[in-house]
Amino acid sequence: MAQATTTDRTTPAADDRFDRPVLAKFEIRRGELADAALATLGDLGYARTSLREIAQKSDFSHGVLHYYFRDKAELITFCVRRYKEGCVSRYDQIVAESATAPDLATAFAEGLVATLREDTAMHRLWYDLRCQAMFETDLAETVRDLDRQLENMILRVLERYAELARAECVLSPAGAYAVFDGTFENALHRHHHDSVQAAELLRSEIPLLLAALIRGD
């Protein structure tokens, strides 16, 4: 796995001489650097961003960035993984707290609309990274892993919705993920290009899609 190889080469996690407090401090610092880099990454995208470019647009030197991240591939995958894994836990909370199928549909739609509006740059970076992974092997396994996590998250939402509606899913996990991911990516494109209807259309489409993907007894 490319990500694991990168970690072995650049972090103290692979060296038994470092104790847990040192490792924890190292990871905290990586998180701080990643957060500082997100604005530049989201604005320029994968291909046009280098560690030097990020350093020029942040308060951190190129040397500091290069100490904590071997290259931009490691930095960007770290950023996207950090964000996407947070997304997954957010929607799991929605699943856990929804008592009826309509409640779940509404909360899920609102969550997607909120992240569409608030995290536009992060989502643009994710889709950019996913396209680049078809050409760069260093990115491929991280992207596959995140896609699996997102697919499983969508499945949990859909299965819980079907359970609350006393129905069953009519698509495979991969098919359901493709439906929602494609709908969200389309909304992201339109939102990025200043479509004022993009968010509202997404809000109205999500409950309809959930209902269309289940079948009652």
Side-chain angles (χ1 to χ4, degrees):
M1 178 176 177
Q3 187 72 4
T5 301
T6 300
T7 300
D8 291 345
R9 292 177 57 182
T10 59
T11 76
D15 194 325
D16 292 337
R17 295 173 301 168
F18 291 88
D19 57 18
R20 289 184 178 180
V22 172
L23 296 179
K25 184 176 180 180
F26 189 91
E27 288 305 310
I28 290 171
R29 185 60 165 167
R30 277 161 63 90
E32 293 172 349
L33 293 170
D35 290 343
L38 283 179
T40 299
L41 292 170
D43 183 48
L44 297 179
Y46 179 84
R48 294 193 297 158
T49 303
S50 65
L51 289 183
R52 194 170 301 281
E53 182 78 22
I54 294 169
Q56 290 174 353
K57 295 178 179 294
S58 71
D59 295 330
F60 301 102
S61 69
H62 177 260
V64 168
L65 287 171
H66 196 66
Y67 174 76
Y68 286 93
F69 299 97
R70 183 188 63 177
D71 53 27
K72 73 172 183 179
E74 187 186 9
L75 172 58
I76 291 174
T77 54
F78 182 89
C79 290
V80 173
R81 181 181 291 278
R82 179 180 168 88
Y83 175 76
K84 287 295 183 181
E85 289 177 349
C87 281
V88 169
S89 63
R90 183 188 315 160
Y91 293 112
D92 283 345
Q93 184 176 358
I94 288 174
V95 169
E97 294 177 351
S98 297
T100 68
D103 286 347
L104 177 53
T106 298
F108 185 43
E110 291 298 331
L112 290 174
V113 168
T115 194
L116 175 74
R117 287 172 166 167
E118 297 167 9
D119 305 318
T120 305
M122 192 70 246
H123 292 300
R124 289 176 61 209
L125 179 60
W126 160 242
Y127 286 113
D128 185 18
L129 188 69
R130 196 161 72 175
C131 288
Q132 292 292 331
M134 291 191 286
F135 304 96
E136 299 197 27
T137 57
D138 282 352
L139 306 176
E141 189 159 352
T142 293
V143 167
R144 283 196 299 269
D145 181 49
L146 289 173
D147 264 330
R148 283 193 295 268
Q149 291 186 46
L150 293 168
E151 180 181 307
N152 290 334
M153 179 270 289
I154 291 295
L155 181 62
R156 289 192 293 274
V157 171
L158 186 56
E159 286 184 334
R160 179 56 175 161
Y161 180 84
E163 179 185 6
L164 291 170
R166 294 185 172 86
E168 62 179 4
C169 305
V170 299
L171 273 185
S172 67
Y177 177 46
V179 168
F180 285 101
D181 182 65
T183 299
F184 185 83
E185 185 178 8
N186 182 266
L188 179 68
H189 278 289
R190 289 184 283 109
H191 178 71
H192 176 62
H193 292 292
D194 297 324
S195 170
V196 295
Q197 292 86 17
E200 290 307 315
L201 185 59
L202 181 64
R203 178 182 281 111
S204 65
E205 285 178 335
I206 295 303
L208 295 176
L209 288 176
L210 285 168
L213 296 181
I214 65 169
R215 177 177 55 220
D217 297 332

